[in-house]
Amino acid sequence: MAVEILQTTPLPPVIEEILQRDYTVHRLWQASDRNALIREASGRVRGLVTSGSVGADRALIEALPRLEIISSFGVGYDPIDIACAKERKVIVTNTPDVLTDDVADIAMVLLLSVMRRIPQGDQFVRQGQWPKAKFPLTEKLGGKVMGIVGLGRIGQAIARRAEPFGVEICYFGPRRKNDLPYRYYDNLTAMAKDVDILMIACPGGRETEGIVNAEVIAALGDKGYVVNIARGSVVEEPALVKALVEGKIAGAGLDVFADEPHVPEALLSLENVVLTPHVGSGTHQTRRAMGELVLQNLAAHFGGRPVLTRVV
Ligand code: NAP
């Protein structure tokens, strides 16, 4: 008898095929009555497949008494109730490392796009303005100081990309990293005062909620840029929007938002922001690698082997 899995969100088609081949899968997002599906399957479901956006709350975990593993698609696990998983002795896995390069690439793309006004340059050419006018000068990246909030896997990959552009790196986080050559700050406002670019790359969740607040944004100042590829929850979004509208900071590149897929209306008409729809890991290659890791973690667990990328 195939192991029964509850799946909260779709995965890339090639991953779906294998999941359906190897398990009996209940697709929660397609159910006309979610609660009825959960009630019907709850006594048999041993695995939950979810994502770093959808997660798994206490109500869902507690509704599945035979649950052994939550295999999540994504590295961030802030919407998974980790405390509840621990209490219930449910293993939680995520998909670190395989997405690091793509997310760091998007961080640099957002930064360069907003500083060099790439969307405006594209529109300038397409709309036939080039023969009639000169495109305004923009801002040089080389020589700037970048303060990274959360120098983990993605933060370090961003630092490795930014350094060859001539960017000086420093960072804020809970722990100083003595093996890395960058200046450490234990105070975020103090770092914001000293940098030109605030690059947000820490996890979401309660511990980091709103840490990039009005005070930090004010400290960054009117020449400063914010790039957020972490989670919308890390930034006090109304304060950021206000600063951008009032020109209190120079610009922002944002891949993540507080209430996705909804974006504050005020951002949509601003020239000094570049917006992407949470696509940090959104390449064919990386999404497939993430999906493969989801499958490998399930296969390891149900094959009696240790999982590959355990969170708890
Ligand atoms: P990671 O290796 O765990 O790195 C997270 C870093 O944040 C660590 O260096 C950690 O510090 C630091 N940190 C923890 N708490 C903090 C706090 N309160 N203030 C400041 N820094 C703090 O994770 P990762 O693989 O780099 O991923 C980071 C995050 O990126 C994920 O959690 C996810 O939310 C986001 N992400 C976004 C996308 C996207 O599509 N935009 C894709 C993937 C990931 P220590 O090293 O001292 O513990």
Side-chain angles (χ1 to χ4, degrees), residues 218-242:
L220 185 61
D222 61 3
K223 300 265 190 301
Y225 292 87
V226 170
V227 175
N228 189 5
I229 52 78
R231 284 286 185 267
S233 60
V234 179
V235 177
E236 209 182 279
E237 200 169 69
L240 177 65
V241 172
K242 188 165 185 283

Side-chain angles (χ1 to χ4, degrees), residues 75-78 96-97 99-100 103 149-155 172-175 177 201-204 207-208 211 229-231 255-256 278-281 287:
V75 67
Y77 48 85
D78 40 300
D97 298 314
L99 45 64
T100 297
V103 183
V149 183
L151 193 65
R153 287 169 291 237
I154 295 171
F172 163 79
R175 275 172 287 276
K177 292 170 191 306
C202 61
E207 268 186 34
T208 56
I211 59 170
I229 52 78
R231 284 286 185 267
D255 186 46
V256 288
H278 200 150
V279 291
S281 66
R287 288 285 166 85

Side-chain angles (χ1 to χ4, degrees), residues 46-300:
R46 295 169 62 199
L48 181 69
V49 169
T50 190
S51 73
S53 308
V54 176
D57 60 14
R58 178 173 285 273
L60 181 58
I61 297 171
E62 286 185 342
L64 303 170
R66 292 192 62 205
L67 189 63
E68 297 167 28
I69 180 170
I70 300 173
S71 184
S72 185
F73 182 82
V75 67
Y77 48 85
D78 40 300
I80 299 176
D81 194 323
I82 295 295
C84 179
K86 270 189 189 164
E87 281 168 30
R88 291 276 324 281
K89 297 191 170 40
V90 172
I91 292 170
V92 178
T93 61
N94 64 347
T95 62
D97 298 314
V98 292
L99 45 64
T100 297
D101 283 338
D102 278 357
V103 183
D105 288 351
I106 278 285
M108 292 307 292
V109 165
L110 282 171
L111 178 60
L112 280 160
S113 296
V114 68
M115 292 183 85
R116 300 298 299 269
R117 300 173 65 87
I118 298 301
Q120 288 84 5
D122 180 83
Q123 285 303 309
F124 187 83
V125 176
R126 285 173 199 267
Q127 292 170 358
Q129 293 175 47
W130 196 6
K132 300 177 238 157
K134 287 238 184 300
F135 191 69
L137 300 183
T138 61
E139 204 55 37
K140 183 180 170 74
L141 175 57
K144 296 280 192 288
V145 181
M146 176 189 287
I148 300 180
V149 183
L151 193 65
R153 287 169 291 237
I154 295 171
Q156 288 176 45
I158 296 169
R160 286 195 297 274
R161 281 158 175 72
E163 278 187 300
F165 284 92
V167 173
E168 187 187 323
I169 306 291
C170 57
Y171 68 103
F172 163 79
R175 275 172 287 276
R176 180 193 295 272
K177 292 170 191 306
N178 291 321
D179 53 330
L180 293 172
Y182 313 124
R183 186 158 28 112
Y184 172 67
Y185 287 82
D186 62 6
N187 182 296
L188 182 49
T189 308
M191 182 173 82
K193 267 197 192 111
D194 289 353
V195 303
D196 307 293
I197 300 153
L198 205 57
M199 175 61 75
I200 306 168
C202 61
R206 244 181 252 143
E207 268 186 34
T208 56
E209 195 170 343
I211 59 170
V212 178
N213 57 21
E215 180 188 284
V216 171
I217 293 166
L220 185 61
D222 61 3
K223 300 265 190 301
Y225 292 87
V226 170
V227 175
N228 189 5
I229 52 78
R231 284 286 185 267
S233 60
V234 179
V235 177
E236 209 182 279
E237 200 169 69
L240 177 65
V241 172
K242 188 165 185 283
L244 286 163
V245 169
E246 294 174 357
K248 297 278 168 60
I249 60 169
L254 305 173
D255 186 46
V256 288
F257 304 88
D259 181 28
E260 296 173 7
H262 309 289
V263 173
E265 186 75 27
L267 291 181
L268 304 181
S269 55
L270 288 180
E271 288 266 311
N272 55 350
V273 296
V274 177
L275 309 170
T276 49
H278 200 150
V279 291
S281 66
T283 63
H284 293 295
Q285 295 79 2
T286 290
R287 288 285 166 85
R288 184 179 173 142
M290 291 162 65
E292 281 167 356
L293 203 40
V294 166
L295 294 173
Q296 285 162 8
N297 279 316
L298 289 176

